[in-house]
């Protein structure tokens, strides 16, 4: 039997509806398109209303929608996290089924559902129609493996302080605070914890498992997890806009689908700064700091004497101390949302003060920028441990007894990264990881080969 023509292999991509999950899956869709497949990216109805119409017109990939049961207000329309996740699964499964049926009698029926592993019900829909199902794990392999161990009882829950340090094959010994927060802060966010464990409820029925990391970055844990998982893990990352990794790669400049209003003045501001002189500060798309913590952060940044670019989302801006932006003048730019990879790739960049979200971490690492990590919750606590002790590209802040990271601690950590021999070593390590990331995604690299393998196997399965 003949293989289907490549460009008629239709992959329906279903991200979890938040910025940190949309970005890597949208970039990966672009990569599949560059490999000749036909991806359709399906966001929720609510998110599709915020999308830039130019994206819809100028893109190589198609867009469509499913529902999360909150079409008017998204997550904020639900009563709480529990309610949101229940609605997402019910409306998501129903509308995903309708979407598959809609394409069934067209020249381009769906051949494969590539779904965020947070949404295992999408695999059930794929299986119901007998089409290929591919799980996409957006977070670090280390974090996925810890959840795998928790799901399979290898790690007994709740993890108590008497059980530390915790030994998981492929990972350094972990203290409680190094575990993902859903484990470390027992009982916090039970619905999210249930969701991250449910990633493993049916994944053995998936045809493919893709992980947004690269092999040399997490070699030991990828090998450990591969021994216990079927189908085998395919590392396919980093999925960051490729022009910043290597000019030879296709001209893919940004994430394109921003859920926040983009302020593009940051690049111009950076141009006036000397190389390696700026601290970039961001806590991603979800974290909310207390007013007290924002005050300490502002004062700590001021104390360093360095110039800084600080992303403060509109919902958080009232927490910035009164008159702080004026006080700082041209030393600081406070912006709502900026093109982060472009900023990280800028020669003025000296250090990234980050919450350690997986995308931010892998972006900084692959663009050669050392970090200060101030994790807030979820996988960020584990990412912080890896940044400091395994990849050695940054330091993690110490939280005070009052639960606050003090201005002096913030200043001290930034100085460690920006100044002195230790800072130089972290920068050198970051540049080494950058090289390895480029090697992984360029033609013939580990991630590129895995993507090629994925594409060719889909082709044979979709005869
Ligand atoms: C969340 C979790 O925090 C994270 O740990 C998990 O792995 C994914 O979901 P988020 O908090 O938003 O994500 O952090 P992160 O993973 O770092 O993703 C943020 C994304 O937004 C990054 O791709 C970053 O480049 C982008 N971003 C951030 C911008 O484009 N502009 C900004 O101003 C800030």
């Amino acid at each position: 039997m003949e293989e289907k023509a490549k460009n008629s292999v239709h992959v329906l991509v279903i991200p979890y509806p938040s910025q940190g999950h949309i970005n890597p899956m949208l970039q990966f869709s672009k990569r599949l398109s560059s490999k000749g497949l036909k991806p359709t990216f399906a966001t929720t109805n609510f998110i599709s209303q915020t999308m830039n119409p130019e994206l819809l017109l100028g893109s190589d990939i198609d867009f469509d929608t499913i529902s999360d049961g909150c079409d008017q207000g998204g997550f904020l329309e639900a009563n709480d996290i529990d309610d949101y996740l229940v609605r997402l699964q019910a409306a998501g499964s129903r509308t995903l089924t309708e979407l598959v049926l809609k394409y069934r009698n067209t020249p381009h029926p769906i051949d494969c559902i590539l779904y965020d592993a947070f949404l295992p019900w999408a695999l059930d829909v794929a299986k119901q129609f007998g089409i290929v199902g591919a799980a996409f794990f957006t977070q670090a392999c280390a974090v996925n493996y810890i959840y795998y161990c928790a799901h399979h009882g290898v790690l007994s829950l709740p993890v108590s302080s008497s059980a530390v340090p915790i030994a998981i094959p492929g990972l350094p010994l972990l203290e409680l605070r190094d575990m993902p927060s859903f484990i470390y802060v027992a009982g916090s966010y039970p619905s999210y914890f249930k969701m991250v464990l449910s990633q493993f409820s049916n994944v053995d029925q998936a045809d493919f498992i893709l992980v947004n990391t690269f092999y040399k970055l997490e070699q030991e844990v990828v090998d450990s997890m591969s021994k216990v998982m079927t189908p085998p893990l395919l590392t396919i990352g980093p999925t960051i806009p490729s022009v910043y990794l290597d000019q030879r790669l296709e001209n893919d400049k940004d994430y394109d689908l921003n859920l926040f209003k983009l302020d593009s003045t940051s690049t111009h501001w950076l141009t006036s700064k000397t190389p390696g002189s700026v601290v970039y500060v961001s806590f991603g798309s979800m974290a909310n700091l207390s007013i007290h913590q924002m005050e300490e952060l502002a004062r700590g940044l001021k104390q360093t004497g360095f110039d800084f670019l600080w992303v403060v989302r509109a919902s958080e801006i009232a927490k910035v101390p009164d008159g702080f932006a004026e006080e700082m003048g041209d030393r600081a730019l406070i912006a709502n949302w900026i093109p982060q990879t472009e900023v990280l790739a800028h020669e003025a960049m000296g250090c990234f003060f980050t919450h350690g979200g997986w995308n931010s971490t892998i972006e900084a690492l692959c663009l050669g920028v050392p970090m200060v990590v101030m994790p807030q919750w979820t996988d960020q606590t584990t990412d912080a441990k890896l940044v400091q002790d395994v990849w050695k590209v940054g330091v993690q802040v110490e939280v005070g007894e009052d639960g606050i990271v003090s201005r002096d601690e913030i200043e001290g950590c930034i100085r460690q990264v920006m100044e002195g021999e230790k800072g130089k070593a972290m920068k050198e390590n970051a540049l080494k990881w950058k090289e390895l990331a480029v090697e992984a995604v360029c033609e013939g690299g580990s991630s590129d080969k895995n993507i090629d393998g994925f594409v060719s196997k889909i082709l044979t399965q979709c005869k």
Side-chain angles (χ1 to χ4, degrees), residues 280-285 309-313 337-338 340 352-356 360:
Y280 166 52
V281 187
S282 169
F283 285 80
S285 66
L309 166 59
W310 185 7
V311 167
V312 184
R313 302 188 314 273
W337 194 256
I338 50 89
Q340 181 163 297
F352 184 12
F353 194 100
T354 171
H355 65 319
S360 293

Side-chain angles (χ1 to χ4, degrees), residues 170-247:
L171 291 177
L173 289 175
L174 300 171
E175 297 297 327
L176 262 190
R177 73 166 201 168
D178 306 325
M179 304 300 273
S181 72
F182 303 141
I183 295 179
Y184 146 57
V185 190
S188 72
Y189 301 102
S191 326
Y192 279 145
F193 190 35
K194 200 169 132 202
M195 178 178 77
V196 295
L197 297 190
S198 75
Q199 299 182 98
F200 301 97
S201 59
N202 60 356
V203 75
D204 53 342
Q205 292 164 43
D207 298 279
F208 299 95
I209 299 178
L210 312 180
V211 191
N212 183 21
T213 189
F214 59 98
Y215 183 65
K216 285 194 177 157
L217 184 65
E218 296 201 83
Q219 186 165 345
E220 287 86 6
V221 71
V222 171
D223 288 344
S224 297
M225 193 167 173
S226 296
K227 283 188 193 140
V228 294
M229 297 281 290
T230 41
L233 303 188
L234 297 174
T235 52
I236 50 75
T239 56
I240 69 178
S242 37
V243 73
Y244 300 118
L245 281 177
D246 194 300
Q247 300 283 337

Side-chain angles (χ1 to χ4, degrees), residues 23 139 255 285 337-338 340 355 357-360 363 379-380:
N23 286 359
Q139 298 184 330
Y255 283 123
S285 66
W337 194 256
I338 50 89
Q340 181 163 297
H355 65 319
W358 181 236
N359 297 289
S360 293
E363 287 161 10
D379 55 338
Q380 297 153 17

